[in-house]
Amino acid sequence: MPQIPTEVQVRPGVEADLHSLTDIYNHYVRETALTFDTAAISPEDRLPWLRSHPEDGPHRLLVALDPATPDNARHVLGYATSSPYRPKAAYSTSVEVSVYLAPGVTGRGVGTLLYKALFEALADEDIHRAYAAIAQPNEPSVRLHEAFGFRHVGTYTEVGRKFGRYWDVSWYEKPLLSRTAPSASPGPSRSRR
């Protein structure tokens, strides 16, 4: 595992980060199949997404800032999010997580730093499971998620089409140990008779 840069600051994302966050995401839209968006997004269109990730609660946005830039213009190296897994109420204790890094930042431990901070923040929330969808192939993302205790639970084959070809998406799951949630107890399954 690469050396984690201790001088990198991780903090909640704010509206002042919007242009940097949008630039990072649009790199993946234009250059990769790691997101299935096919058209670049404007900062204005991205604003509701940013606002849906408050400083507290189960749906977070954390950014990593480059210490080599002046404090008033800190460069965003990447970001991690926890977002709703599905909209129905019974899914409220599950989140979908992701990490996006600026071009040239991968392999330096920034993704690891972001996930450490995200999972520490989520430990105070009523969250039971985290899920990650990884477009394949993406060995660096698989390694990152496995290092955090995610396990592969299934793959949707040829589920998305981008750049004139079909792509698989593998799903990974991680149990979360909330410091505040009631412990889960496996009860009998409820079946109709």
Side-chain angles (χ1 to χ4, degrees), residues 7 23 25 28 43 45-47 60 67 75 93 105 107 121 132 144 150 157-158 172 182 184:
E7 65 280 359
D23 287 346
Y25 187 72
Y28 290 91
D45 289 338
R46 195 82 166 138
L47 185 58
R60 307 275 182 116
H75 176 68
T93 60
V105 173
L144 174 67
F150 282 82
T157 58
E158 297 186 352
Y172 286 76

Side-chain angles (χ1 to χ4, degrees), residues 29 75 95 118 131:
V29 171
H75 176 68
V95 293
L118 180 65
Y131 294 92

Side-chain angles (χ1 to χ4, degrees), residues 71-145:
D71 285 340
N72 61 349
R74 300 292 290 267
H75 176 68
V76 176
L77 297 173
Y79 64 92
T81 60
S82 59
S83 301
Y85 174 68
R86 295 285 184 268
K88 295 180 181 176
Y91 290 117
S92 67
T93 60
S94 296
V95 293
E96 185 173 343
V97 297
S98 61
V99 171
Y100 286 91
L101 300 177
V105 173
T106 59
R108 294 174 31 197
V110 175
T112 299
L113 188 66
L114 282 162
Y115 259 1
K116 279 185 177 181
L118 180 65
F119 292 124
E120 178 60 27
L122 292 178
D124 291 327
E125 301 297 334
D126 183 14
I127 299 297
H128 186 61
R129 290 283 187 270
Y131 294 92
I134 304 173
Q136 297 298 324
N138 189 346
E139 192 56 38
S141 186
V142 168
R143 281 194 310 271
L144 174 67
H145 286 86

Side-chain angles (χ1 to χ4, degrees), residues 152-164:
H152 180 253
V153 292
T155 298
Y156 295 143
T157 58
E158 297 186 352
V159 68
R161 185 171 65 190
K162 187 172 180 180
F163 304 136

